[in-house]
């Protein structure tokens, strides 16, 4: 098959290797649940850091972007892990 005539290539599909690996690899539900519990605790801690920072304003205002970015990443990763758990039937 001539792949030059296709309207897309594998490089156009973001993270296709990760998708294939995830699809083939069995999910250990108990390990994923433990990881989610740990991630939830970390996200909650970062949320409290953001809350504490807001209560101390205007002191520490320059730390807002860094603290907010950490909380954002933690909750983004937690949401993805929860999605994986739900997709695996957990």
């Amino acid at each position: 098959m001539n792949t030059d005539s296709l309207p897309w290539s594998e490089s156009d599909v973001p993270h296709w290797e990760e998708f294939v690996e995830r699809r083939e690899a069995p999910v250990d539900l108990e390990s994923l649940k433990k990881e989610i519990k740990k991630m939830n605790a970390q996200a909650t801690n970062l949320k409290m850091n953001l809350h504490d920072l807001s209560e101390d304003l205007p002191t520490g205002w320059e730390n807002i972007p860094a603290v907010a970015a950490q909380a954002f990443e933690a909750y983004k990763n937690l949401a993805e892990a929860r999605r994986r758990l739900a997709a695996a039937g957990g």
Side-chain angles (χ1 to χ4, degrees), residues 62-80:
E62 58 278 332
N63 297 322
I64 294 171
V67 175
Q70 289 175 334
F72 178 85
E73 270 307 303
Y75 277 98
K76 179 178 140 187
N77 294 337
L78 179 59
E80 172 61 21

Side-chain angles (χ1 to χ4, degrees), residues 53-54 56-67:
L53 179 62
S54 71
D56 292 337
L57 288 174
T59 303
W61 64 268
E62 58 278 332
N63 297 322
I64 294 171
V67 175

Side-chain angles (χ1 to χ4, degrees), residues 9-30:
S9 69
E10 289 178 344
S11 63
D12 294 332
V13 180
H15 311 294
W16 71 272
E17 296 98 346
E18 182 180 330
F19 173 77
V20 171
E21 286 174 16
R22 221 185 261 168
R23 186 148 191 236
E24 293 175 357
V27 175
D28 180 358
L29 292 179
E30 290 308 311

Side-chain angles (χ1 to χ4, degrees), residues 26-39 81 84-85:
V27 175
D28 180 358
L29 292 179
E30 290 308 311
S31 293
L32 187 53
K33 286 178 183 178
K34 286 179 184 177
E35 185 64 25
I36 288 173
K37 187 174 181 178
K38 196 183 308 182
M39 292 171 77
R84 286 194 335 256
L85 180 64

